[in-house]
Amino acid sequence: MRGLFVTFEGIDRSGKTTQAGRLVDALGEDALGVREPGGTPAGEQLRAILKNPEVALAPETEALLFAAARSELVANVVLPALDAGKVVVSDRFLDSSLAYQGGARGLGIEDVGRVNQFATRGLKPDITFLLDLSPADAAARVGKSDRFEDEGAELQAAVGAAYERLVLADPERWRRIDATRSPEEVHTDVLAAVEAARE
């Protein structure tokens, strides 16, 4: 039986990494956690480039590097795990490229979507959690900054607006979660939704 593919999306510092990790811990051996970009040797090298504040990239280059890392992850990690019946939990996936490069960078959600359709072999998440948090609330949280966070609230606001478009386009897949609450409260809602989907 094919497994379940669960992804976490949202602006920077909305709690995606924390919630993905908590879900994997709660599901135990049934789950496999991955992150984007990364998760493979090539993907981790691409992550280092993409996150480096000292590396300037054209938006098109940025989109293609994310897609390349994603392609490696899907082929070598995600699809084999789903075929084995695992719940694959991803800290970001294709919707991040649609929101950041397609929406906020102005490349067009449809064009970035076509590139990623090829990169992911058409794979889509079964459930995507949008951790809903304002740029101001996110900026107040402590964390290590990177090239994207260094661009400030304007980029995060544009990303948030792009996520809203994505939710409207595919409401069955998305679950909006109030990320202003405690990590424990958020996790309770996430776990309940995943368990319901597995029944």
Side-chain angles (χ1 to χ4, degrees):
M1 189 175 92
R2 183 185 181 275
L4 190 72
F5 189 24
V6 179
T7 59
F8 285 87
E9 298 287 353
I11 65 172
D12 290 299
R13 299 193 187 181
S14 57
K16 298 173 303 302
T17 302
T18 297
Q19 292 303 322
R22 282 177 175 257
L23 180 58
V24 170
D25 289 345
L27 297 175
E29 293 181 356
D30 290 342
L32 174 68
V34 297
R35 71 175 182 173
E36 282 218 348
T40 66
E44 290 298 326
Q45 292 195 39
L46 290 170
R47 181 185 183 89
I49 295 169
L50 285 160
K51 293 282 189 175
N52 188 343
E54 297 177 4
V55 176
L57 297 171
E60 293 84 355
T61 305
E62 193 177 89
L64 290 168
L65 290 178
F66 273 113
R70 186 167 296 128
S71 182
E72 283 290 293
L73 185 68
V74 167
N76 296 311
V77 181
V78 176
L79 288 177
L82 290 174
D83 288 343
K86 296 273 189 184
V87 178
V88 178
V89 179
S90 187
D91 178 359
R92 295 199 181 279
F93 193 60
L94 64 87
D95 293 298
S96 284
S97 285
L98 300 180
Y100 278 78
Q101 287 76 47
R105 298 282 196 230
L107 296 182
I109 287 174
E110 294 76 16
D111 286 344
V112 174
R114 279 191 286 274
V115 170
N116 280 276
Q117 176 77 8
F118 175 72
T120 63
R121 296 136 183 92
L123 178 66
K124 286 181 67 174
D126 297 299
I127 301 173
T128 298
F129 292 103
L130 177 62
L131 299 185
D132 200 5
L133 192 69
S134 73
D137 285 338
R141 293 182 171 183
V142 176
K144 184 180 178 182
S145 65
D146 60 27
R147 192 164 62 84
F148 296 94
E149 292 181 31
D150 288 348
E151 292 189 47
E154 187 176 342
L155 174 67
Q156 299 303 319
V159 168
Y163 275 126
E164 293 300 328
R165 289 175 57 193
L166 295 173
V167 171
L168 287 173
D170 191 7
E172 300 271 321
R173 173 167 63 91
W174 289 84
R175 308 286 189 278
R176 186 188 299 274
I177 301 287
D178 178 4
T180 63
R181 299 172 299 158
S182 72
E184 293 76 15
E185 290 174 302
V186 172
H187 171 67
T188 296
D189 286 356
V190 166
L191 184 59
V194 171
E195 288 179 337
R198 297 179 74 195
E199 289 177 356

